[in-house]
Amino acid sequence: MKSAAKNILKVRRAPAIESELTVPGDKSISHRAILLSAISNGRCTITNFLEGEDCRSTAKAMGQLGVLIETPEPGTVIVEGNRGVFTAPSGDIDCGNSGTTMRLMAGLLSPQAFRCRLTGDPSLSKRPMRRVIDPLQEMGARLFAEGENQCPPLVVEGGPLEGITYRLPVASAQVKSAVLLAGLFAKGKTTVIETARSRDHTERMFEYYLIKFHREDVWEGTSLVGRKLLETRISLEGGQTPESRDFHVPGDISSAAFWLVAAAAQPGSRLLVKDVGLNPTRTGIIDVLVRMGARIREVVVSSAHGEPSGTIDIKGCRLHGTEIRGAEIPNVIDEIPVIAVAAALAEGTTRIRDAAELRVKETDRIAAVATNLRAMGVEVEEFPDGMAITGGKPLKGARLKCFGDHRIAMAFAIAGLFAKGETVIEDTACVQTSYPGFAETLRLIQKGKGIGRRTPVISSLESKSRRRKSTKS
Ligand code: S3P
């Protein structure tokens, strides 16, 4: 069948990569740019907006709530902020596959003066919503889940909110953001406390859109070296309106992660990823690959609009196993499927623990990764909160499912680049969720074609790094 054939990715072993590329706009940042622009006091132009299905769901939802949004050209979105005065939608709001849309919208809709029903696709309909229901109810919101075990659909009956102090029981930027967004419309002060640092795009964007908030890091010990971050408290007063501003979305490091692994694990590869977000709450993938032996340099070239971005320069080599656990997990949570592929290609065992959250992502990512790696001949031990992967043996091409999960589909396309024989990944339409254009880049990589000629950027980076070294010495 034509449509089924279109949704299959076929991958074969590829030569070493020698290239430079850019990736589409960051998914987390694109969602937030739409939402903050929509509640701002005027017109905002967002550039490099991710035109993936998830972010389209957020934009569509805002449209249903009466926010005017134009797309004058691909990747550019103009939002007319309405200070958070939404109109009641005429029907359900379909959040598609996007947990970020549903959870952040729950926060924004809780203070509204109307009833709204948020639905999702079969995958989103199995994801836990109690994590946003609990704090928002504590703030006075009337919201409940219609599904079993507090799963979607989510019904929000808006009303006045009061600020609360809320300690996050799971490290989740979505929950943190839902409470902070609700806090903007609540009476008094809202404080969110996190004990493991999750991505901080909402806070950075608050700062950029001139929302006043206070952030305090609480440390154990006083010495700068070796002290431990106990918790971070983020507080804001309700009744604030974001100041409308234009915003540029950097490339998504979670999308870059696929090519970083493809290059890191292939001796002789050299890859530059440009205009990619380098927010330290998202760059854990670089730390992990460096620990596995990859040679990587990141160069921040801009911090415009509050988000650092720049170039990642990576050279491939033989990788070795590592351990990933504890506070590092939130920083790499979306990259774990492709890190697991790197682990399968590395000598020795990689242990990933404290990552039970993976069980409630777009699919159970621990089970999906273990199933697919085993099908490719890799030894995997599964734990409730992670897995141990023993790598280093050649991968076998296989026919794999992606369980409707974009990151599983892309991670195993990368595995296919290293496997003997053909790897076929079924039902890959879900890749559109976060990475339109992935299949085209994959095709170029497989053919060993440069995706952009590398020399000018590489040489400018090399002279920058020489300059840095000589300033230091
Ligand atoms: C996201 C936060 C993370 C991440 C998701 C996007 C966000 O989820 O996995 O892909 O944009 O806030 P959690 O908040 O559930 O950890």
Side-chain angles (χ1 to χ4, degrees), residues 50-108:
L50 172 63
E51 305 250 2
E53 290 304 327
D54 268 20
C55 300
R56 280 183 204 269
S57 293
T58 294
K60 233 172 87 203
M62 284 295 124
Q64 280 180 266
L65 293 164
V67 178
L68 287 178
I69 300 182
E70 284 168 50
T71 309
E73 56 185 89
T76 299
V77 179
I78 301 174
V79 183
E80 295 290 346
N82 66 4
R83 298 173 176 267
V85 184
F86 298 136
T87 50
S90 54
D92 291 351
I93 291 184
D94 181 3
C95 302
N97 187 248
S98 175
T100 309
T101 307
M102 188 170 285
R103 293 186 178 131
L104 269 55
M105 291 290 297
L108 269 189

Side-chain angles (χ1 to χ4, degrees), residues 52 55 92 149 161 172 190 217 240 253 256 300 322 374 410 473:
C55 300
D92 291 351
N149 300 322
L161 304 184
S172 165
T190 297
D217 290 331
Q240 300 191 59
I253 191 165
V300 174
T322 186
R374 284 180 189 136
M410 292 186 276
S473 55

Side-chain angles (χ1 to χ4, degrees), residues 368-449:
V369 163
T371 304
N372 284 356
L373 283 182
R374 284 180 189 136
M376 298 185 91
V378 182
E379 198 185 313
V380 185
E381 189 184 352
E382 225 185 284
F383 308 112
D385 67 342
M387 54 201 142
I389 299 158
T390 302
K393 287 200 202 122
L395 300 189
K396 289 187 298 190
R399 192 171 183 99
L400 304 172
K401 294 194 191 330
C402 60
F403 310 93
D405 185 323
H406 53 130
R407 299 208 197 277
I408 298 293
M410 292 186 276
F412 282 90
I414 301 306
L417 294 174
F418 293 85
K420 185 159 181 280
E422 188 177 65
T423 297
V424 177
I425 302 150
E426 297 173 354
D427 297 329
T428 54
C430 55
V431 165
Q432 296 304 319
T433 299
S434 64
Y435 197 159
F438 175 81
E440 289 68 36
T441 303
L442 182 69
R443 216 167 290 134
L444 291 172
I445 295 255
Q446 283 188 95
K447 286 187 185 152
K449 289 206 173 143

Side-chain angles (χ1 to χ4, degrees), residues 93-147:
I93 291 184
D94 181 3
C95 302
N97 187 248
S98 175
T100 309
T101 307
M102 188 170 285
R103 293 186 178 131
L104 269 55
M105 291 290 297
L108 269 189
L109 289 170
S110 287
Q112 297 292 325
F114 51 78
R115 183 182 193 273
C116 202
R117 189 165 175 268
L118 301 170
T119 60
D121 72 1
S123 152
L124 180 54
S125 302
K126 283 194 234 133
R127 298 186 66 187
M129 290 300 140
R130 183 167 172 191
R131 53 186 61 198
V132 285
I133 294 175
D134 282 353
L136 292 171
Q137 279 182 345
E138 224 180 281
M139 295 177 87
R142 289 169 302 153
L143 81 165
F144 59 92
E146 287 181 352

Side-chain angles (χ1 to χ4, degrees), residues 241-371:
T241 304
E243 187 65 35
S244 61
R245 303 187 74 180
D246 295 343
F247 189 86
H248 179 77
V249 180
D252 196 329
I253 191 165
S254 298
S255 298
F258 301 108
W259 314 121
L260 295 180
V261 168
Q266 180 84 274
S269 282
R270 173 86 189 264
L271 176 71
L272 293 180
V273 185
K274 295 187 291 174
D275 187 24
V276 63
L278 293 173
N279 178 320
T281 61
R282 296 283 299 283
T283 49
I285 174 76
I286 297 179
D287 303 331
V288 169
L289 289 175
V290 165
R291 283 209 305 278
M292 295 179 88
R295 283 171 298 155
I296 308 184
R297 278 184 312 154
E298 46 171 296
V299 182
V300 174
V301 289
S302 157
S303 282
H305 306 177
E307 285 285 350
S309 65
T311 300
I312 302 172
D313 176 2
I314 182 159
K315 283 185 190 155
C317 59
R318 200 83 188 106
L319 300 180
H320 50 79
T322 186
E323 188 162 304
I324 308 161
R325 64 192 317 157
E328 190 171 36
I329 292 294
N331 200 314
V332 291
I333 193 74
D334 291 342
E335 288 68 74
I336 289 178
V338 78
I339 288 174
V341 170
L345 298 166
E347 292 293 340
T349 300
T350 294
R351 283 185 191 78
I352 302 168
R353 300 304 300 258
D354 306 318
E357 273 295 295
L358 291 174
R359 300 249 182 226
V360 290
K361 292 291 178 190
E362 284 82 333
T363 187
D364 175 342
R365 286 184 175 161
I366 296 175
V369 163
T371 304

